[in-house]
Amino acid sequence: MANKETLNNVLITGENSYASVEDSIGRLILKPQLHQRGWWIFFFIGLAGTGLLGVSITWLVYQGVGIWGNNQPVSWAFDIVNFVWWIGIGHAGTLISAILLLFKQQWRNSINRFAEAMTIFAVMCAGLYPLLHTGRPWVAIFWLFPYPNIMGMWPQFRSALEWDVFAVSTYFTISLVFWFMGLIPDFATMRDRSRNKFGKIAFAILSLGWRGSNQHWHRYEQANMLLAGLSTPLVLSVHTIVSYDFAISTVIGWNVTVFPPYFVAGAVFAGFAMVMNFLIPVRAYYGLKDLVTIRHIDWMCKILLATGMIVFYGYILEVFYGFYSGNVFETALTKDWRFNGPYSGYYWALILCNGIIPQLFWIPKMRTNLLVVWLVSFVVGIGMWLERFVIIPISLTNNYLPASNKMYYPTMWDFMMFGGTIGFFIFLMMLFLRFLPAINIFEMKDLLHKVINDESKVEPTVEAMNSKMNPTPAKEEVPA
Amino acid sequence: MEANDGMEKKEDAVELTEQKPAANGGLDIDAIQAKLAGKSGKHYWQSLDEIADTKEFRKWMDDEFPNRSTLLTMNRRDLLKFMGASMALAGLAGCRGVFLPQDKVIPYVKQPEELVPGVPLYYASSIPLAGFGMGVLVEQHEGRPTKIEGNPLHPGSLGALDVFSQAEILGLYDPDRARSVINNGDVSTWELFNKNATKLLAGAKKIAVLTGAVTSPTMLAQLKAFKAAHPNTTWYGYEPQDRSNVINGLQTSSGQPLEPIFDFTKANVVISLDSSFLSPEEQPGALKYARDFASKRRVVGLTGEMSRVYAFESTPTLVGIMADHRWAVKSSAIAGIAGAIAEALGIGMIRSAVPQNVNRSHFSAMMEDIRAAGSSAVVVAGPHQPAEVHAVVAAINAAIQSAAVRYISPVNASYTAAGIGELKDALAGGSIDVLLVVGGNPAFDAPGDVEFEKNAKLAKHVIYLGRDQNETAALAEWALPMTHPLEEWGDLRAFDGSVSIIQPLIAPLFEGRSAIEVLSSLSGKPIAGYDILKGYWQQAGMPGTGEFEARWRDFVHDGVIKNSAFVPKTVSNLKTPAELPLDDTTIEINFRPDPTIFDGRFANNGWLQELPAPVTKLTWDNAAIMSMSTAKKLGLTHEDVINLEVGDRSVKIGVFLQPGQADDSIVVNYGYGRTVGGAVATASTNGGVPDPTEGGGVNVFGLRTLSSLNSASGVKITKLNERAQLVTTQGHRPLQSERIVDERDILREVTIQQFLRDPEEVVPEFAFPEEEIKKNNLYVEEVFEWNGPQWGMTIDLNTCIGCNACVTACQAENNIPVVGKQQVANGREMHWIRIDRYYKGDDVNPQVTWQPLMCVHCEKAPCEPVCPVAATVHSHEGLNQMIYNRCVGTRYCSNNCPYKVRRFNYLNYSDNQPNFMTKVRPIAAVLGNTTEERQNGIQLVKMLNNPDVTVRGRGIMEKCTYCVQRINDARKESKKAGRDLKDGEIITACEQACPTQSIVFGNIADKESRVSKLRNDPRAWLLLEELQTRPRTSHLAKLRNPNPEITPIPEPKPKKAKHGEEHGSEGHAEGEAHKEEAHKEESHSEGQTGTVKTEAAHGE
């Protein structure tokens, strides 16, 4: 891929018309020949991963959680690490589609659909873990929900795990509805453009009778705003509640008040990294450079930098608490299990991945170098996984009573299930690219409309657009 | 002793059953009972058909749909009786789970008297360990023994029980036991054997009988009868761990075969010379010794006394860990130390040598202590020390006129028999026609130079009677199944000679016959075991007065013959040996019985295999245990595999680094590395050659030689390029955690001198002040306002000897599964109690403190609010309960438990899985007659389960319940009787088994209960109290009584300002301080005599 592209403030580059926008997005669906070897390779990787996931889930349910490396005292390990990691990845989608919509950030238009799809798929991957990590998933699947029963037995609402059930299921539902609603106008476009009978029928059903009337658009805008309003607190609440799983406990290294903001920032951080990991190759491969411009990449890098620094601040605070608290258990955890000790490599790798390497983005040139951006995003993905690894199993290996300290070693099945979820995620993303409009067509056309009708007739900029649409631009949300 | 009341109601004791006239029609159970009367247990099985074979019964059995007209015409009573027939018979056998379908539950028709379904009965019996008897009470549920507990009337048990005897209940249901008579690998019958054996024995010119230790009077009589019937018989005796050195030592010094027994209640100063008299694997009297020893170390409030213990030992033992002063010296250096003690006492000595690492002034301080203590001092030497050392020790004890030691004739009668060395010579000479091996497993555990396997083949015929399909059975021409002690009649002597009964609890599960039955039938008198036993005592006469029948019934009921202990003999003019063995300058190797599987006879017992060894915490394995500096010198590290070479024999074994191990001294525990003997015993070897890289232990018996059974010198060690996997339940890296123990209130330990000076000194400086905890408490003071009992427990660290008895008791009581070596390696052992081991000091000679820990039943339990399905909740009585049925297994409770006492069923452990239940190779397969390898039978092991405790499936969290089933039982009884629960009425399994009575359970709401008083003891503290979990289990601080001349007592720490408020009125505190002041001098002077008595003790 080309690593260097010119950076300007144009959100749509090239010679684009409404038709060309429609075409460049729609043809990904309508012209199967576009998906060449690259798509098939990743499709099969994803398919294989999905198979792996199926095998490991089957074996897990058949044999028990004992096939993993979890032990006493390390009762949670890869299962919860991966759960938190996946949930975090989902956050970028919601942030882009909901918060940036509310703040009227036009640049979100070309990436929101993609990011939202990632949210849905990541939450699907994440959702597997809390259920399957239980000893008896066949009862956990309904006992965790409050349903009327003859025993008069309710779930225990004081438990953060119970909050989790509601947080994650609400999050998934809202994200799915939001995503599907955003797709309706595009489904209608696809229905109209589709020549193949199957496509026509399928998109016709999915578009729910969308005709593009004023009333439709009016209702759409209203519902969209409402859902955005609903989703926005979810971005904050879901990961806050996930962080409560740890923060409300007595476990040294978990019982930290900074967790909620630090987890949310970490989630956005990881989510943007994942978006870039996928988006950069996809835009290159499918020629979407005019719609996802280098300006988008640049801004996302800035968000990465900002959230990365919040996360880094969290690490520094953890160390600070470790010593300032004067609590010997906290100090011991920091000194003996993080700075030193058998797992110290993971801790320092985490600091390197999440704390040091993203600082590259201070340099503007780095933010436009696609290879660097891709690599740094990849490293951040690893770093965020390490962060959860450091927090969850490593804190558990260290105990109040040193006699119960025990090392944790993952097994083959831990890796297989994790690899399986990654494969499943890739599989779903490939299907998404193939069968659904990966970029929001109507919002791009709307954007193009605004670009074309710009009075200045010079190349429009975001600032210009903002000033036109909104006399007092919401600058505070544009990352520095 | 209410528990014993049902004792005579044993089905085998048929003559005690009331005979009622037969009911009309149906199967006449009474007639069957009459038929069965007087027959041996085994007989029931063979004659099941014949007994059940009434016309009606046959009809019922033959018909797939039993004759409906009969059914319709039959009245309800008859029908029930009819159906009950098969059940009653199965009940006699007690094996309906194995031989009959399990899916029907039918009540008794004629219920045995005193049996209430669901209410267990207890019978007195005994369990042998290396020949010595341990009196037990066996819990039996509807004819099915489920648990073995100590017999309070038995002098060796006093109601407590060691791990081996407790685990024998699992041994009973061991599916790998010898099942049938095997003749050269083919299944045969007793009839065929008897026919053949009579011929063989009649034609034999020379017969050799090899037994283990024999303490049983009846067995001894049978051996004599056998010899009388076959005069050309020689009796040989061999026990891997025996007491012959002790007996020989006294033989040389006193001229008669004697062995010492101790009374530690009279010992204020104890010097242990490589002895672990608290370990049942070393001393048959260990439980009694532990009780007495603890009584001398028990401090309640400010009352009590502390003996002083000095230990010289090569490897940390339970005694060394309890000791106030311990020196790690080579086993071979003990002789020199004994000599030095003798010399200092003015006994003319030949050689004395105090090793370099024992400070001379410390040694003389110790000698001062001994002299001052006079007759209240005692020296104890380990049985593996050479005879000369025992002679010197006897001379020392005589010189100080120790009141704590008495001498009795050897309890084990086989000291009169010829040794295994002589058997080897006889076999090698080819003169033996018939070798009859009764019990034991010489093919596995004989010393290497006996070459038992090779030499046994020189005998024309080898007959083996044993419980297991083991190495010896594999080489025998006739391998006969022997009964388990719970299936046979017999008797045994305890460490002091007291006789206890072996009473069957169940008919033999397989075709086993007891040793006395087999010997009797080989002597030409085939009599049932019951008749042999009763006949013997009728003839020999039982001590006591009155009708024999009444005394016999007392014997069967109590399990013990009162006053049957050997009378101590007076010894005088003890001679000291002419020479003491020289200290070895090379690396020595010591062979010791394993603290968990003994000499290998329990190798197929999963409970014992998985039980962490007390000090090393090693499970499923043995290893070459050495000190860090020895390893460093040899260029070795933990888990290296070495080739250990002694003479021309060698084994591959893993290295285990043990703090406190003497330098240049390697300890290996024998008993591991079985090649034949069941799924668990051969788990790692799978019938093949043991491999230390796989784990599962190595057989080191081959390294022992007849001349040096207990230790060897001139060991050659070669490092191999392999790694062993040695699995421990507690991390091997004590270093970094030490700081936390030091800085936090995890253990409390002070000297008795400090404690008496100011009881507050047990509270470490860094402990959270109580006021601060109260101030910071957001909860109301009274969490439970329920007006009823509130359960609590106290564990006295001062008397805990770390013996593991509680761990096995808990396992037996609560159906705790065995998980296998790999799962333990993964940190998933299921024991509800763990005994945490903390080292203090350097790795050369650290102090060890035990901390038994199970669920502490926090009043504000952190596990409860985090469970999303409310599967763990609190009871009104303060129990933190686990609702297994509700648990979905999120494991958050375990994460949030600061004590980490919860256990999770990661796999389906209770229904055991192939993790350790690997392939079994039956004898026939070993011999090559068949290639069949079968999976282990599970059904049999299920019979072991305690019906009062849920068996947990996979995915379930579990933990200590304070034995809630016992609480409920006692509560039911008290409700029925319309009274309140009495203190001490509820005894948890751990409390019951504890030989030192360190665990006390009871109602903390009752201010008069034992547990309430101990909870308010000045030494009591709540573990991790600063987390405000408010545990219901308190620990009591450990005290040590060091000699101030050796370890100076630390200066008192400055008093905290707020001290007065805490302890009632100032005046009282001052008054007490004054008394303490007065006492300080006293205790100092008494410190010299070794024991510190407190003021209250003086007052008493």
Side-chain angles (χ1 to χ4, degrees), chain B residues 837-851:
Chain B
R837 168 211 60 198
Y838 290 101
Y839 291 116
K840 189 173 150 192
D842 55 8
D843 69 271
V844 179
N845 191 12
Q847 260 187 6
V848 177
T849 307
W850 308 117
Q851 187 173 48

Side-chain angles (χ1 to χ4, degrees), chain B residues 953-989:
Chain B
R954 83 153 147 107
I956 306 286
M957 191 60 78
E958 60 184 69
K959 62 161 193 82
C960 163
T961 61
Y962 270 172
C963 283
V964 67
Q965 67 280 6
R966 292 184 174 216
I967 298 176
N968 290 340
D969 276 351
R971 191 195 290 115
K972 259 187 297 193
E973 290 305 314
S974 76
K975 270 190 181 167
K976 277 196 288 191
R979 56 171 172 80
D980 285 341
L981 280 162
K982 284 179 288 201
D983 186 34
E985 194 174 348
I986 304 167
I987 300 172
T988 62

Side-chain angles (χ1 to χ4, degrees), chain B residues 573-584:
Chain B
N573 298 327
L574 290 179
K575 277 180 287 185
T576 48
E579 211 169 296
L580 277 174
L582 274 176
D583 183 5
D584 202 323

Side-chain angles (χ1 to χ4, degrees), chain A residues 244-260:
Chain A
Y244 287 165
D245 287 350
F246 311 104
I248 67 157
S249 76
T250 63
V251 179
I252 317 146
W254 287 11
N255 189 348
V256 183
T257 44
V258 78
F259 265 17

Side-chain angles (χ1 to χ4, degrees), chain B residues 330-333 581-592 644-650 663-668 703-705 707-717:
Chain B
K330 288 173 72 177
S331 189
S332 56
L582 274 176
D583 183 5
D584 202 323
T585 47
T586 62
I587 293 181
E588 67 171 18
I589 176 166
N590 294 313
F591 305 106
R592 298 279 185 274
L644 203 58
E645 221 177 312
V646 180
D648 52 353
R649 291 184 176 80
S650 70
D663 288 342
D664 294 337
S665 177
I666 295 173
V667 167
V668 285
L703 300 183
R704 297 174 105 197
T705 54
S707 53
S708 61
L709 274 176
N710 298 315
S711 60
S713 56
V715 181
K716 226 177 103 191
I717 290 165

Side-chain angles (χ1 to χ4, degrees), chain B residues 151-404:
Chain B
N151 181 354
L153 297 180
H154 188 264
S157 154
L158 302 172
L161 205 55
D162 57 274
V163 292
F164 306 114
S165 311
Q166 294 192 64
E168 276 285 23
I169 192 76
L170 180 61
L172 169 68
Y173 296 114
D174 183 351
D176 297 332
R177 274 171 57 191
R179 288 168 183 247
S180 40
V181 178
I182 305 279
N183 180 17
N184 285 327
D186 290 327
V187 173
S188 181
T189 66
W190 280 103
E191 284 66 33
L192 272 172
F193 164 73
N194 281 336
K195 224 186 281 167
N196 269 281
T198 319
K199 243 186 286 166
L200 292 182
L201 292 172
K205 276 195 214 86
K206 248 182 153 185
I207 301 169
V209 178
L210 176 63
T211 67
V214 176
T215 66
S216 157
T218 310
M219 172 79 171
L220 200 59
Q222 287 304 317
L223 282 167
K224 280 183 186 146
F226 183 85
K227 171 122 179 148
H230 309 283
N232 44 358
T233 302
T234 322
W235 177 25
Y236 299 91
Y238 173 67
E239 196 67 56
Q241 152 84 358
D242 72 352
R243 301 177 57 74
S244 58
N245 283 350
V246 184
I247 298 164
N248 293 342
L250 278 142
Q251 175 86 47
T252 51
S253 66
S254 72
Q256 46 182 329
L258 291 174
E259 62 179 325
I261 55 172
F262 300 96
D263 181 357
F264 287 100
T265 58
K266 297 196 175 112
N268 289 336
V269 174
V270 180
I271 292 97
S272 163
L273 297 177
D274 216 10
S275 161
S276 182
F277 53 81
L278 302 174
S279 307
E281 74 269 17
E282 182 184 302
Q283 291 280 352
L287 293 182
K288 159 83 172 150
Y289 294 167
R291 175 72 57 93
D292 292 348
F293 180 77
S295 76
K296 271 299 212 189
R297 312 264 303 176
R298 181 163 284 119
V299 175
V300 178
L302 295 171
T303 322
E305 52 185 327
M306 286 280 281
S307 62
R308 183 171 290 154
V309 183
Y310 299 90
F312 298 87
E313 58 185 14
S314 54
T315 189
T317 66
L318 301 189
V319 173
I321 284 168
M322 290 300 282
D324 303 297
H325 295 287
R326 175 184 184 272
W327 292 275
V329 297
K330 288 173 72 177
S331 189
S332 56
I334 294 292
I337 294 167
I341 296 173
E343 193 180 41
L345 289 170
I347 304 166
M349 261 328 295
I350 319 86
R351 186 181 153 273
S352 76
V354 182
Q356 288 295 319
N357 59 344
V358 182
N359 184 312
R360 296 301 129 133
S361 61
H362 291 175
F363 190 82
S364 29
M366 180 189 85
M367 287 315 303
E368 275 304 302
D369 224 359
I370 297 175
R371 274 190 215 103
S375 66
S376 63
V378 68
V379 183
V380 187
H384 39 76
Q385 282 294 325
E388 292 86 345
V389 172
H390 290 282
V392 177
V393 165
I396 295 170
N397 283 332
I400 56 176
Q401 295 179 312
S402 173

